[in-house]
Amino acid sequence: MSWDSGTTDSEKAAINGLSLDSEDQQERIQARRQRIAARIEAKRREALGEDPASLSDQKEEPRKSYKQIEESRQRLGKLVSDGTQLVTNIQIAVDARETQRRATEEELKRLRVEKIDNEAKSSYEKFQAITKKWLLSREKQIPQELWALLNSQQQQCGQLIEDKNKLIGELQQELKRKDDQYVKDLKKQSEDIDLLIERMEDQVKSLIKTYREELLHTEKSFEEERRELLDNNRKKWEQGMQSRRDIELESLLNRMKKVEEYEKQLNQLRVQDGEEYNMIKIKLETDVQILQQQLQHIKATFQLNQEKLEYNFQVLKKRDEENTITKSQQKRKITRLQDVLNNLRIKLDKQIRQYKEENQSLTDDFRRIVEQYKELQKKMRHFASVDAKKFHDIWVMNEEEMKQLVQRALEADRIIQEQQLGLPWTAPDLQFLENVGPLVPEPKQQKSASRLAQEVMAASATDGQRDLIKSGDEDSESQPFSPRTVKQILELLCDESGFLIESKLLQLLSPLDKDDQSLMKLDSIFGALRIEVEEDVYKLVDFFLKYRQQDETPQEKADGVHHPSTSTPTDLIHPNDVLRALKAFTMEFHQPREKTSHTRQTSSDDRDSSEDAAYWDAAAHVIPESRLKVWDALESAMEKYYDVLTSRTELITETSALRQQNGELRMLLHQYLNSKINTELEIPPTQMMKVEFTQS
């Protein structure tokens, strides 16, 4: 498939019924694939020498099958969306009715609950009034008043029961209405489902019918397109065969013309070569005669030269014999020297081979050890990072859990103080809860090397001084060397390390006094040696003192002479040994520090955990002990209150049961007194009860 050069990629994809801007992901993917295939086909045709412009007429308009597919897809999509909307309209209507029903039901429920609450309140008030009148019955002594009170109580009880029955009847009527409504809703739901099924069946039938029609249309369009393509390809094939026959006939005529021309050229070349052959033959015969004459002259000259050469040969033969004797002597000497040279070469090769083997072995061992060291460092860094991450994650998890527990405890304490005890509540100091992650203590601030040198130079140098060097802070720790010893070492370093100071700086320092010059020189020397803090200065002093002890003579060691850190000037290192000691100090202290700096940064073992216990203890004691004692007292009081409420609940339950039994007995008594059989008896029970009541 070839595309016109003026057609864009989006137009090419649209011609095939696909669009790069479509909302369907699969359609966009298919459009990109067709675009890539079109580009590959165009490059292939261009490589074969075909003219894309000659095939552009074939794709000026979309194919009929693609048009039919696109129209069918749009028609079917519209049919599906319309059918879906028609089916979902039923669900929307049902949802609207259900929403309205729930709102109405909620309002009826609210009114019903309100009615029940009002009736319960009024019944309780009437019951309290009846109960109070029962207490007044004990004060009545006159039977008529007691009878009137009893009738009044009976009427009030009847009124109370009638109100209850009326409420029960209304609720039963409402329940019946709900049952009727439920039956109607079921019937309506069944109708909606039937309608939904009917519409779905109609939609399915319509879709099946439409799909079949569109499928027939698509098949017809493909058949028409297939017939057109066959006709076009047959015409192109016939045109191509006719053009090929014409080209072959033309090439045959051209070949016959070239054969005739080549025959003429061959005849001309034969005649020309014959003439040249005759001329060359005559010239060569003349040259042969001249060469024969020169040969006779050369033979005469050869005879003369042969006699001269025989004489010279005899002379040279004598010389050769002498040279042979000399050569044999030289050969024997060369052979002897050659043997010596061979022996030396064998020894040299053996030594070189031995040294190479040792070098290779040592190189392999070195590489293996370096690889093991790198692998060990990698594992150490990996495990250190993993342990640090695990420690951080566990810390954060426990810290979050601790914060939640603290907040719950404080919330419980606030509720107990404000709601249970009625006391004002103040929140404690919760600044420690702002921390997130493991505690990182502030690094210890060290004094700079320049500051230490300035303080040492300003210190007193008396013989009895033993005061320690202190920083500006009063709480700083004591230092290991006296100012006098440090000052002597630094002055000795200034005097013997002038090569570390630039000449321009020495010229600028010449007008200053000795102490200022020493301070400026020490700044330059410290910068060259990478001495930054006071700890590095004390390491330098300690190294110089130990270097002096290592250089002691065996006689001094036997005599027990030693040099402590507070040595006298005579015990310090010799000025001639300063450079060697300085070189050894640089090799020993700076390279290990550079190699292990990364490991120290990544290691989690150096973390200061001294404040962890205080941090977690502060979280554990966020509620003070006095408050916890109040909690214990409140807990015991609440348990007693709970026991009282439990016993009261049991009494209320028992009272309710007795009231129910009393009501049932009243109803039985009322039925028994109002029974018709009492009128048929000679002595009714009511008469006996009146007599007993009168006697009592």
Side-chain angles (χ1 to χ4, degrees):
M1 182 181 294
S2 177
W3 296 97
D4 189 5
S5 59
T7 305
T8 61
D9 293 337
S10 60
E11 292 175 352
K12 295 172 185 177
I15 290 174
N16 291 335
L18 302 174
S19 175
L20 294 174
D21 300 329
S22 176
E23 297 179 356
D24 188 4
Q25 183 180 5
Q26 297 298 328
E27 185 174 348
R28 294 197 301 272
I29 293 172
Q30 191 66 23
R32 293 192 186 97
R33 290 176 178 174
Q34 291 185 1
R35 182 180 61 181
I36 294 171
R39 290 178 179 175
I40 294 172
E41 182 67 17
K43 290 181 180 179
R44 186 183 67 80
R45 291 184 178 277
E46 184 177 356
L48 294 175
E50 297 181 0
D51 187 9
S54 62
L55 301 175
S56 60
D57 297 337
Q58 300 177 0
K59 299 300 176 181
E60 291 181 354
E61 60 181 9
R63 293 164 58 178
K64 294 181 180 180
S65 59
Y66 292 157
K67 281 185 177 181
Q68 182 62 38
I69 291 172
E70 181 64 21
E71 292 176 1
S72 301
R73 186 178 63 81
Q74 294 177 358
R75 191 177 301 110
L76 291 173
K78 186 175 183 303
L79 182 61
V80 170
S81 61
D82 293 342
T84 304
Q85 184 177 4
L86 182 64
V87 172
T88 53
N89 286 336
I90 299 174
Q91 183 180 0
I92 294 172
V94 171
D95 292 340
R97 286 202 305 271
E98 180 64 18
T99 303
Q100 184 177 2
R101 187 193 66 79
R102 289 183 179 180
T104 306
E105 182 66 23
E106 189 68 24
E107 181 65 22
L108 293 175
K109 182 178 179 181
R110 185 185 63 79
L111 295 176
R112 184 168 58 254
V113 172
E114 183 178 357
K115 183 187 295 184
I116 292 172
D117 292 340
N118 294 332
E119 197 279 333
K121 290 180 181 179
S122 62
S123 299
Y124 181 73
E125 292 175 357
K126 291 179 181 180
F127 180 74
Q128 291 293 333
I130 293 170
T131 304
K132 289 179 180 180
K133 288 184 179 181
W134 282 117
L135 296 175
L136 294 175
S137 63
R138 297 179 181 178
E139 300 176 358
K140 302 292 184 179
Q141 298 297 330
I142 301 173
Q144 289 79 6
E145 294 179 355
L146 187 59
W147 176 257
L149 180 61
L150 182 61
N151 291 330
S152 176
Q153 289 290 90
Q154 185 176 3
Q155 291 177 0
Q156 292 181 0
C157 290
Q159 184 65 29
L160 182 61
I161 293 171
E162 185 179 356
D163 293 339
K164 293 288 186 180
N165 292 330
K166 183 178 179 181
L167 180 61
I168 291 171
E170 292 177 355
L171 294 176
Q172 289 178 350
Q173 287 295 119
E174 187 173 356
L175 182 61
K176 186 176 180 182
R177 287 197 302 271
K178 290 297 179 183
D179 292 338
D180 297 339
Q181 184 65 31
Y182 176 71
V183 174
K184 292 180 181 179
D185 292 340
L186 288 177
K187 185 177 180 182
K188 183 63 177 175
Q189 185 179 5
S190 177
E191 294 176 355
D192 293 338
I193 292 173
D194 293 339
L195 180 59
L196 180 63
I197 292 172
E198 182 180 355
R199 290 186 178 181
M200 290 173 67
E201 290 177 352
D202 294 341
Q203 181 66 15
V204 169
K205 292 178 181 178
S206 177
L207 284 174
I208 291 173
K209 182 180 178 181
T210 307
Y211 270 110
R212 289 176 177 173
E213 292 176 356
E214 297 300 330
L215 181 61
L216 292 175
H217 293 326
T218 306
E219 289 178 351
K220 289 181 180 179
S221 62
F222 273 111
E223 290 177 356
E224 293 177 359
E225 186 177 355
R226 181 175 178 273
R227 287 193 296 270
E228 292 177 358
L229 289 174
L230 289 174
D231 295 338
N232 294 331
N233 291 331
R234 189 179 296 107
K235 291 178 181 179
K236 290 180 181 178
W237 174 260
E238 293 176 355
Q239 292 175 0
M241 292 299 294
Q242 183 64 32
S243 61
R244 179 178 177 84
R245 285 193 292 270
D246 297 339
I247 292 171
E248 289 179 352
L249 181 60
E250 183 179 358
S251 62
L252 180 61
L253 296 175
N254 293 330
R255 186 173 180 278
M256 294 175 65
K257 292 179 181 179
K258 288 181 180 180
V259 168
E260 294 177 355
E261 292 177 357
Y262 291 156
E263 288 179 354
K264 293 179 181 179
Q265 292 177 2
L266 286 173
N267 294 328
Q268 293 177 359
L269 289 174
R270 288 192 186 98
V271 174
Q272 185 177 358
D273 291 341
E275 294 175 355
E276 290 179 357
Y277 173 75
N278 295 326
M279 293 175 65
I280 292 171
K281 183 177 180 181
I282 295 169
K283 182 178 179 182
L284 291 176
E285 290 177 352
T286 306
D287 293 337
V288 168
Q289 294 176 0
I290 295 171
L291 290 174
Q292 286 178 353
Q293 295 175 0
Q294 292 178 355
L295 179 62
Q296 296 297 328
H297 183 270
I298 290 171
K299 284 182 178 180
T301 306
F302 173 75
Q303 186 68 28
L304 179 63
N305 290 333
Q306 187 177 7
E307 294 177 356
K308 291 181 179 179
L309 289 174
E310 287 179 356
Y311 175 75
N312 292 330
F313 175 72
Q314 295 296 330
V315 174
L316 291 175
K317 188 175 181 182
K318 292 291 184 181
R319 290 182 181 179
D320 183 60
E321 292 176 355
E322 295 176 358
N323 290 333
T324 303
I325 297 170
T326 305
K327 187 185 295 183
S328 61
Q329 294 176 355
Q330 294 294 330
K331 281 183 179 180
R332 286 193 297 270
K333 186 177 181 179
I334 289 172
T335 303
R336 186 174 63 254
L337 293 176
Q338 188 70 27
D339 294 337
V340 174
L341 178 62
N342 291 333
N343 293 330
L344 293 176
R345 283 180 178 177
I346 292 171
K347 291 182 180 179
L348 178 62
D349 294 338
K350 184 177 180 181
Q351 292 291 335
I352 291 174
R353 192 180 307 108
Q354 182 179 358
Y355 290 151
K356 283 184 179 180
E357 291 176 356
E358 293 179 358
N359 186 20
Q360 184 65 29
S361 177
L362 294 175
T363 303
D364 294 339
D365 293 341
F366 174 73
R367 289 177 180 174
R368 179 175 54 80
I369 294 172
V370 168
E371 291 296 331
Q372 292 177 356
Y373 176 71
K374 289 182 180 179
E375 186 67 22
L376 182 60
Q377 278 189 334
K378 183 178 179 182
K379 290 180 180 179
M380 289 176 61
R381 289 194 295 271
H382 172 70
F383 287 120
S385 61
V386 170
D387 293 340
K389 185 177 183 302
K390 187 183 296 184
F391 176 76
H392 182 272
D393 295 341
I394 294 174
W395 180 288
V396 171
M397 179 183 68
N398 293 331
E399 192 174 43
E400 291 295 330
E401 184 178 359
M402 178 268 291
K403 290 180 180 180
Q404 294 177 3
L405 293 175
V406 168
Q407 293 296 336
R408 289 175 59 185
L410 292 176
E411 183 66 18
D413 183 59
R414 183 185 66 79
I415 293 173
I416 290 172
Q417 287 291 111
E418 294 180 353
Q419 298 183 7
Q420 301 297 330
L421 301 179
L423 299 176
W425 180 79
T426 57
D429 186 12
L430 301 178
Q431 187 176 2
F432 68 93
L433 293 180
E434 297 178 359
N435 179 70
V436 177
L439 299 177
V440 181
E442 296 182 358
K444 183 179 178 181
Q445 298 293 334
Q446 293 189 9
K447 191 185 302 179
S448 63
S450 302
R451 179 63 179 173
L452 178 63
Q454 185 178 0
E455 292 181 359
V456 168
M457 292 300 177
S460 176
T462 59
D463 294 336
Q465 181 184 10
R466 291 293 182 270
D467 297 336
L468 298 177
I469 301 173
K470 296 184 178 181
S471 62
D473 189 5
E474 296 179 358
D475 297 332
S476 62
E477 299 179 355
S478 61
Q479 306 301 338
F481 302 102
S482 65
R484 181 181 178 185
T485 304
V486 178
K487 183 177 181 180
Q488 292 171 356
I489 295 294
L490 294 180
E491 289 178 349
L492 188 61
L493 186 65
C494 289
D495 296 337
E496 300 298 330
S497 303
F499 64 92
L500 297 175
I501 305 171
E502 296 181 359
S503 58
K504 295 181 180 179
L505 181 61
L506 293 175
Q507 295 177 2
L508 295 174
L509 295 178
S510 58
L512 301 177
D513 56 3
K514 184 178 180 180
D515 292 341
D516 293 339
Q517 289 182 6
S518 299
L519 290 175
M520 298 299 292
K521 290 179 180 179
L522 286 174
D523 288 339
S524 180
I525 293 170
F526 288 162
L529 298 178
R530 291 183 291 177
I531 296 176
E532 301 174 353
V533 295
E534 58 178 344
E535 183 181 357
D536 298 337
V537 178
Y538 291 131
K539 286 182 180 179
L540 177 65
V541 174
D542 182 63
F543 185 82
F544 273 35
L545 295 177
K546 291 181 179 179
Y547 193 84
R548 173 67 181 85
Q549 295 176 5
Q550 293 174 0
D551 291 343
E552 291 178 352
T553 62
Q555 183 64 32
E556 291 176 340
K557 293 182 180 179
D559 297 339
V561 179
H562 64 280
H563 305 279
S565 60
T566 57
S567 303
T568 61
T570 59
D571 293 333
L572 295 177
I573 188 172
H574 195 274
N576 295 334
D577 298 332
V578 171
L579 295 181
R580 289 185 295 171
L582 193 62
K583 183 178 179 181
F585 172 77
T586 305
M587 296 295 294
E588 181 176 352
F589 285 92
H590 286 283
Q591 291 182 358
R593 182 173 63 180
E594 292 176 357
K595 292 180 180 180
T596 58
S597 60
H598 180 71
T599 306
R600 291 180 180 178
Q601 291 177 0
T602 57
S603 177
S604 61
D605 297 336
D606 298 336
R607 197 183 72 84
D608 187 8
S609 60
S610 59
E611 299 179 1
D612 294 352
Y615 174 74
W616 294 108
D617 187 67
H621 294 83
V622 68
I623 306 297
E625 292 293 335
S626 58
R627 196 72 57 79
L628 294 176
K629 292 180 180 180
V630 174
W631 284 19
D632 295 337
L634 181 62
E635 182 181 6
S636 61
M638 294 299 290
E639 288 178 353
K640 293 179 180 179
Y641 182 63
Y642 175 74
D643 294 338
V644 172
L645 292 178
T646 304
S647 60
R648 186 175 178 183
T649 302
E650 294 175 355
L651 293 175
I652 290 173
T653 304
E654 185 178 356
T655 304
S656 300
L658 292 174
R659 286 177 180 172
Q660 185 177 359
Q661 293 177 4
N662 192 12
E664 293 175 355
L665 291 174
R666 285 198 186 100
M667 291 176 63
L668 291 173
L669 180 61
H670 180 70
Q671 293 177 1
Y672 181 69
L673 294 177
N674 295 330
S675 179
K676 296 180 179 181
I677 197 172
N678 291 331
T679 56
E680 298 176 359
L681 296 176
E682 295 181 357
I683 302 176
T686 55
Q687 189 67 29
M688 295 297 296
M689 291 176 61
K690 290 180 181 180
V691 172
E692 291 177 359
F693 182 77
T694 304
Q695 290 178 358
S696 62

